[in-house]
Amino acid sequence: MEKLIQISIKPGQDKKFRQGQPWVFDYDISETPRELRDGSLVEIRTSKSEFIGRGYWNSQSKINARIVSFDSRENDLLEGGFFVRRLQACWGRRKQDGFDGSFRLCFGEGDYLPGVVIDYYLCRQKDLQFQTFVIQTTTLGIDRAFQRGNFGWENIIKLLLEEGLPQALPLDKTCVVLRNDVGARKYEGLEEEQPRMVHGPREVDITKTEIAINDLSGQGNAKELVWLKADLLNGQKTGFFLDQTRNIQRLLTYLKGRPRSEGKVRVLDLCCYLGHWSTQLAHYFKAAGVDAEFHLVDVSEKALEMAEANVVQFGFSVIKLKRDVLKDMDDFQNDSFDIVICDPPAFIKSKKDLPQGQHAYTKLNRRACDLTKPNGLMVSCSCSGLLTMELFKQVLIKAQESFVPRWRLVEEGGLPPDHPRHLGFSEGAYLKMFLFEKN
């Protein structure tokens, strides 16, 4: 490991790091050593020279240093073996938590690898089953570590598989995809890159594949998988959103305890993307013998086509609508849907967007409330990290203000175990979910 440059924290600022905060800002630091270079490995100590952690430096970012280890015994920081060891631990925890098929293998700070997101997808295409590691790096320190070590992510995945991963497929049935096409990289002085597959079988087309996700209905075998169409090269984020698994499960569990609806259940899925919520609902309804009709709404025609295919595989009718949910929702009749899913993209990208974003969330949720039938269910989500839980509650109160007593909060959710978070790092808790029943 290269030489560690020591950074001292101002007196009184060390408590939050002892509680698990991995981000070090300029106002935390007493003095910046002259020899520091962007991408340098650093050791963070208190003003009394007590060890806090080790990480990497970037003066171009508002977050000057990111801690990757709170253990002074880890001496191979950001080397090949370090990454393999971290990812082996991640894999073991996901399997222990019951994740099969596809899941988030590495969740940045939650897995002590700031700047690294890795989603694992179990895929199939025709008669071939294979696995895909979709990797996204957003910090200069991680990119510089790979330059120093002169290795690529395909090398790390190869080493990982050689070390042995329970239930994983071999290297010849493995794709490695880099998705560094995210705007967050610019805040680190990095350029966006074109998505590319750096390893994989030639016969595989990851733009037209099916991915396996856990059956969340609890109706069948616990190891049963549900398959959905996805584009892992060009789709949003890493091609799919894996963070709603436990929230969908909460909805399905609640449905099981309710009296069965008479007639056809009408579902409205706003900002549906690939239809994860609706697909899991369709799978549940088919097993339960419930008739249903799905209305899928999104601004992307390609996403709607995939979402439709994902839902109709279970034999239900689908009406797909290409619309902007903040502009084109007036022609829907009030009180017309049994289940309304409101899971929009992040409306708030920065602090300056907060007022406008809160207004957008309020407007969308107010319309979702109107469209829900009496005795119906409404799911409301936010993935904007800057919109805290308390602020989101205020948004929902305002959205329901004309008939608050009619709404009963029955479930509250957030991130699943494959998106781990720590109490000392509140910034990691970006996802919020509320399930309401309309009286």
Side-chain angles (χ1 to χ4, degrees):
M1 186 172 73
E2 73 172 54
K3 178 186 175 183
L4 289 162
I5 301 172
Q6 186 172 316
I7 294 175
S8 294
I9 298 299
K10 291 178 181 177
Q13 292 289 86
D14 58 300
K15 184 178 179 181
K16 62 181 179 181
F17 302 110
R18 298 200 185 283
Q19 295 174 345
Q21 170 61 256
W23 290 354
V24 183
F25 292 88
D26 58 355
Y27 53 75
D28 295 315
I29 302 167
S30 60
E31 188 177 353
T32 303
R34 289 184 177 181
E35 65 267 34
L36 264 179
R37 297 290 181 270
D38 292 339
S40 294
L41 299 182
V42 293
E43 183 166 286
I44 296 97
R45 290 184 171 269
T46 69
S47 57
K48 297 180 180 179
S49 200
E50 299 166 323
F51 178 83
I52 292 177
R54 291 171 175 168
Y56 56 81
W57 176 266
N58 185 8
S59 64
Q60 300 179 65
S61 171
K62 290 183 179 179
I63 305 166
N64 283 175
R66 297 176 193 255
I67 299 174
V68 300
S69 177
F70 291 92
D71 186 347
S72 61
R73 296 168 298 178
E74 276 196 301
N75 294 314
D76 60 345
L77 207 65
L78 301 186
E79 295 178 1
F82 173 89
F83 285 103
V84 171
R85 188 170 64 253
R86 279 283 196 275
L87 296 179
Q88 280 180 317
C90 292
W91 182 276
R93 285 192 290 268
R94 271 47 170 187
K95 292 302 177 182
Q96 178 180 297
D97 290 334
F99 286 96
D100 294 295
S102 307
F103 50 87
R104 176 146 292 182
L105 175 60
C106 179
F107 183 48
E109 286 82 356
D111 287 304
Y112 303 106
L113 273 177
V116 180
V117 166
I118 303 177
D119 283 341
Y120 173 87
Y121 295 102
L122 180 62
C123 307
R124 71 181 184 188
Q125 196 167 336
K126 296 182 180 178
D127 297 327
L128 177 65
Q129 191 168 109
F130 60 100
Q131 63 192 8
T132 302
F133 294 84
V134 182
I135 301 163
Q136 194 169 84
T137 60
T138 55
T139 58
L140 182 142
I142 294 297
D143 280 20
R144 290 286 168 84
F146 278 74
Q147 293 171 17
R148 278 196 306 271
N150 195 28
F151 50 78
W153 277 107
E154 62 272 28
N155 304 109
I156 299 298
I157 299 302
K158 180 182 178 181
L159 286 170
L160 190 62
L161 295 173
E162 287 175 351
E163 289 281 336
L165 289 181
Q167 303 175 43
L169 297 175
L171 185 64
D172 63 350
K173 292 185 178 180
T174 300
C175 295
V176 180
V177 178
L178 302 185
R179 289 295 306 266
N180 292 335
D181 53 331
V182 285
R185 287 173 61 87
K186 69 182 180 182
Y187 299 113
E188 288 276 317
L190 295 170
E191 293 182 358
E192 292 184 42
E193 300 174 356
Q194 287 296 314
R196 64 188 189 278
M197 186 167 77
V198 294
H199 177 85
R202 289 184 178 181
E203 63 269 31
V204 165
D205 182 358
I206 57 170
T207 68
K208 298 176 182 177
T209 188
E210 289 183 287
I211 61 171
I213 54 176
N214 281 63
D215 166 22
L216 304 176
S217 69
Q219 295 286 335
N221 188 307
K223 296 294 183 181
E224 185 179 351
L225 297 171
V226 177
W227 293 86
L228 298 91
K229 296 183 183 299
D231 178 353
L232 301 184
L233 191 67
N234 305 301
Q236 293 183 39
K237 299 296 184 180
T238 66
F240 192 72
F241 294 101
L242 294 164
D243 52 4
Q244 290 285 16
T245 51
R246 290 300 167 91
N247 294 330
I248 296 173
Q249 194 169 41
R250 285 182 173 92
L251 170 62
L252 299 182
T253 300
Y254 188 74
L255 281 173
K256 281 195 290 185
R258 300 181 95 215
R260 183 170 294 186
S261 301
E262 295 182 6
K264 185 176 292 187
V265 175
R266 301 184 79 228
V267 178
L268 176 63
D269 194 346
L270 302 172
C271 307
C272 68
Y273 188 45
L274 302 185
H276 191 190
W277 286 90
S278 288
T279 302
Q280 290 282 8
L281 279 167
H283 180 258
Y284 167 80
F285 286 148
K286 182 179 180 180
V290 174
D291 192 15
E293 176 183 272
F294 291 84
H295 295 247
L296 306 177
V297 182
D298 203 274
V299 294
S300 167
E301 185 65 42
K302 183 178 179 181
L304 284 169
E305 290 174 1
M306 286 190 171
E308 180 183 31
N310 290 332
V311 174
V312 298
Q313 66 176 304
F314 298 105
F316 295 105
S317 59
V318 169
I319 298 169
K320 62 182 197 306
L321 302 159
K322 183 181 178 182
R323 294 189 179 183
D324 182 332
V325 294
L326 294 175
K327 297 178 181 178
D328 306 318
M329 298 293 293
D330 293 337
D331 60 335
F332 283 109
Q333 186 175 346
N334 287 353
D335 300 330
S336 56
F337 292 96
D338 299 280
I339 300 174
V340 176
I341 309 297
C342 184
D343 186 14
F347 289 148
I348 302 168
K349 301 292 186 181
S350 63
K351 287 184 178 180
K352 66 179 177 61
D353 299 327
L354 197 56
Q356 184 179 353
Q358 286 177 276
H359 175 75
Y361 279 115
T362 303
K363 180 179 180 180
L364 178 58
N365 278 280
R366 183 175 290 138
R367 189 68 186 119
C369 289
D370 290 340
L371 297 172
T372 308
K373 286 182 180 180
N375 300 315
L377 299 175
M378 186 190 84
V379 173
S380 181
C381 304
S382 168
C383 61
S384 295
L386 291 169
L387 187 72
T388 65
M389 179 65 81
E390 288 307 310
L391 286 176
F392 190 40
K393 287 178 181 178
Q394 291 175 26
V395 162
L396 294 172
I397 289 170
K398 190 171 182 179
Q400 299 173 1
E401 63 186 355
S402 60
F403 40 87
V404 168
R406 295 184 60 186
W407 289 96
R408 186 166 69 96
L409 175 61
V410 294
E411 285 285 349
E412 186 174 334
L415 290 168
D418 63 336
H419 290 65
R421 49 169 296 214
H422 308 287
L423 288 178
F425 181 58
S426 60
E427 295 87 346
Y430 69 90
L431 185 63
K432 285 82 61 180
M433 186 282 290
F434 291 102
L435 172 60
F436 296 98
E437 184 176 59
K438 189 175 186 180
N439 297 320

